[in-house]
Amino acid sequence: MIVVGEKTDQEKNMKTKAAVLYEIGGPLVIEELELSPPQAGEVLIKYAASGICHSDVSFRDGVLETALPAVLGHEGSGVIEAVGDGVTNVKVGDHVIVSLTPQCGECLFCKEGKPFLCAQMGEVIWKASLLDGSKRLKNAKGDEIGQLVCVGTFAERAVIPAGMASKINPDAPLETVCLIGCGVTTGVGAALNTVKMEVGDSCAVIGCGGVGLSVIQGARIAGAGTIIAIDPVPQKRELALSLGATHAIDPMVGNVVKEVKKIQRGGVHYAFEALGRKDTIEQAWSMARATGTAVIVGVPSPDTVLELPVLGFFGEKHFKGSAYGTTLPSRDIPKFVDLYMKGDLRLDDMITSHITLEDINDAMAEMTRGEGVRTVIKYD
Ligand SMILES: [Zn+2]
Ligand SMILES: [Zn+2]
C-alpha cells in the first residue's frame, strides 16, 4: 500500500554542516543546516573539498556583495549524490568540479556560446539563490540561508543547478583539483582562452596568488618565452619561478614598469593583472608593449574608475577584461584536470595546507594578511 504523503529518501530534507556569514565583516558561523532535496534540473552534491579564494574574503568584508545570510565558498569538488528530474549531464556517483557560471542556457550570452558571461550570474550572486530565485537551506531557527554563486562550497552538501557540475576523471584527487573550480580556471583560462597566448609570447603577471600562479602556468603550457612574476612576498616569487616564471620582480623595489621593460625591451605582449586594484591595473597598461594587451583578471570593487594615459591606444594597445578565464566549463574543466593528471598543471605546489571546516575563520584571516597561496577545506 502506498501511504499518501510519505516521502522517499530522495525527497526528505537532509542535514549539512556549513559555514554561514550573517553580517558583513563578521565571522563565519559553523552550524548544522537543513537542506531540501534537488528539484528538476538540479543535483545534490557531497563536497569533498573547497579552496578558499580571495573573493570569499571580499564577500565577507562587503567589497563584493551577496544577500546575507549565506554559505560562502565557490571553489569546490565532490560527488553527485542525487539528481532531479531531467538531469542528463551527470549521474549519481560522478566526480565533479563546480563551475562559477550558472549557465542558464536561456540568456543571450548562453545562446551565443559564451556561458562565462551568463546574464543570470549577477542575479544569483545578488540574491544568493538558485536560478529560480529560491533557497534550499534553513538554520535551526527556520531562517532561509543563501549560498554563494549558487554553489556555497563551505558546506558538506549543497543542491546546485546541474549545469554547474562538470564531470571529471574519477581518478583525480578531489582535494587537489577543487582549485580548478575558480582560481585555476580563471588564471589558466586567461592565458589560454582570453588571449590565446602563443609560443614565444612574453608576459608579466601582477600578483602571484592562486590566480596569478595559474596565469603563469597557463603561459608556460602555451610555450611563452619570457614570463615575469610580480609579487612583494619572496615565497610567492620563488613559487612562481618554480612553476614556470622566467623572472621575478619585487614591486616594492624601484619602478616596477621600468623593471619589466628592462627585462622585455618595449614591454610585454600580455600584462595580466591578478589583484583587482586600480594602481596595478594602470601599471599593467603601462607594461604592455605597442600592440600588446593589458588583461584584467582580478576583480576590483565595482565602482573603481581607471585613469589611463591615452597615448598607448595609438600604439594599438588593447585593454581587455577576462571573465572566468573565458571558459566553457564542460569543455575546459575536464581538460584542466587532464593537464593536472599529465603533470603539466601543477596544483599540489599551490596548496599551502588542508584544513577542516572548523578552522575556516583562521584560514580567512591568513588570506586577508596575504599569507600562503591556497588553503583547502577537506570534508569527511
Ligand atoms: Zn574565486
Ligand atoms: Zn545564461
Side-chain angles (χ1 to χ4, degrees):
M1 191 180 87
I2 296 170
V3 180
V4 176
E6 192 176 54
K7 291 180 172 175
T8 66
D9 276 354
Q10 201 181 322
E11 288 168 335
K12 285 179 188 159
N13 285 355
M14 292 152 285
K15 300 279 186 194
T16 180
K17 193 163 64 173
V20 182
L21 181 68
Y22 280 91
E23 55 185 8
I24 288 172
L28 303 188
V29 178
I30 312 293
E31 59 184 351
E32 197 157 77
L33 304 177
E34 195 161 305
L35 172 62
S36 59
Q39 297 178 6
E42 297 173 351
V43 295
L44 169 66
I45 178 169
K46 182 180 189 305
Y47 287 125
S50 170
I52 301 173
C53 170
H54 200 271
S55 300
D56 294 308
V57 174
S58 297
F59 279 108
R60 182 197 63 185
D61 295 343
V63 177
L64 300 173
E65 285 185 64
T66 189
L68 301 180
V71 175
L72 298 189
H74 59 279
E75 193 173 77
S77 62
V79 180
I80 300 293
E81 278 196 332
V83 300
D85 289 342
V87 172
T88 55
N89 65 316
V90 287
K91 59 184 189 310
V92 172
D94 280 351
H95 287 206
V96 299
I97 289 175
V98 297
S99 75
L100 288 190
T101 162
Q103 300 174 80
C104 74
E106 304 287 327
C107 75
L108 195 61
F109 288 107
C110 282
K111 284 182 174 160
E112 285 180 6
K114 300 184 178 83
F116 47 87
L117 294 175
C118 177
Q120 291 287 336
M121 177 81 102
E123 189 82 356
V124 295
I125 291 179
W126 186 251
K127 291 184 178 166
S129 68
L130 293 188
L131 279 169
D132 64 1
S134 69
K135 298 179 183 180
R136 300 305 152 76
L137 295 162
K138 279 190 180 145
N139 66 10
K141 286 194 277 180
D143 302 329
E144 281 196 331
I145 309 288
Q147 53 198 72
L148 186 62
V149 203
C150 281
V151 294
T153 61
F154 293 167
E156 292 170 328
R157 286 182 169 79
V159 167
I160 68 171
M164 295 183 78
S166 292
K167 186 180 171 179
I168 60 163
N169 178 347
D171 295 333
L174 290 169
E175 69 276 17
T176 307
V177 296
C178 63
L179 300 194
I180 291 170
C182 176
V184 168
T185 289
T186 300
V188 177
L192 298 183
N193 294 335
T194 307
V195 296
K196 296 185 173 60
M197 286 189 76
E198 292 181 359
V199 174
D201 282 346
S202 58
C203 70
V205 181
I206 304 174
C208 297
V211 172
L213 291 172
S214 300
V215 174
I216 288 168
Q217 297 211 55
R220 167 175 48 76
I221 290 166
T226 302
I227 303 174
I228 305 167
I230 301 166
D231 199 288
V233 181
Q235 294 89 329
K236 290 188 183 174
R237 293 200 300 274
E238 277 165 35
L239 187 53
L241 288 167
S242 76
L243 291 174
T246 56
H247 302 74
I249 293 177
D250 179 352
M252 309 310 248
V253 180
N255 179 313
V256 67
V257 174
K258 281 188 183 156
E259 293 301 316
V260 166
K261 289 184 172 175
K262 252 191 234 170
I263 296 167
Q264 189 70 34
R265 222 176 127 79
V268 289
H269 288 88
Y270 300 104
F272 296 92
E273 202 276 355
L275 293 175
R277 277 182 14 199
K278 171 183 158 68
D279 59 337
T280 44
I281 291 173
E282 290 167 358
Q283 284 171 356
W285 175 250
S286 300
M287 288 172 192
R289 63 173 223 169
T291 74
T293 305
V295 189
I296 311 315
V297 187
V299 182
S301 165
D303 55 8
T304 304
V305 176
L306 303 172
E307 293 167 86
L308 302 175
V310 75
L311 198 60
F313 288 100
F314 300 99
E316 300 208 347
K317 280 201 210 182
H318 305 261
F319 196 73
K320 197 163 174 39
S322 177
Y324 195 37
T326 318
T327 294
L328 304 182
S330 57
R331 176 195 71 184
D332 293 333
I333 288 178
K335 183 170 87 179
F336 295 156
V337 169
D338 292 344
L339 285 172
Y340 167 77
M341 297 300 276
K342 274 175 65 191
D344 290 341
L345 192 52
R346 288 167 46 201
L347 304 183
D348 298 273
D349 299 353
M350 289 169 55
I351 296 174
T352 313
S353 59
H354 282 98
I355 62 165
T356 61
L357 189 62
E358 281 72 16
D359 291 328
I360 190 161
N361 285 301
D362 289 343
M364 298 273 278
E366 280 173 20
M367 182 140 239
T368 310
R369 294 194 297 267
E371 296 168 14
V373 175
R374 266 298 192 270
T375 300
V376 172
I377 302 160
K378 213 173 147 182
Y379 300 103
D380 293 333

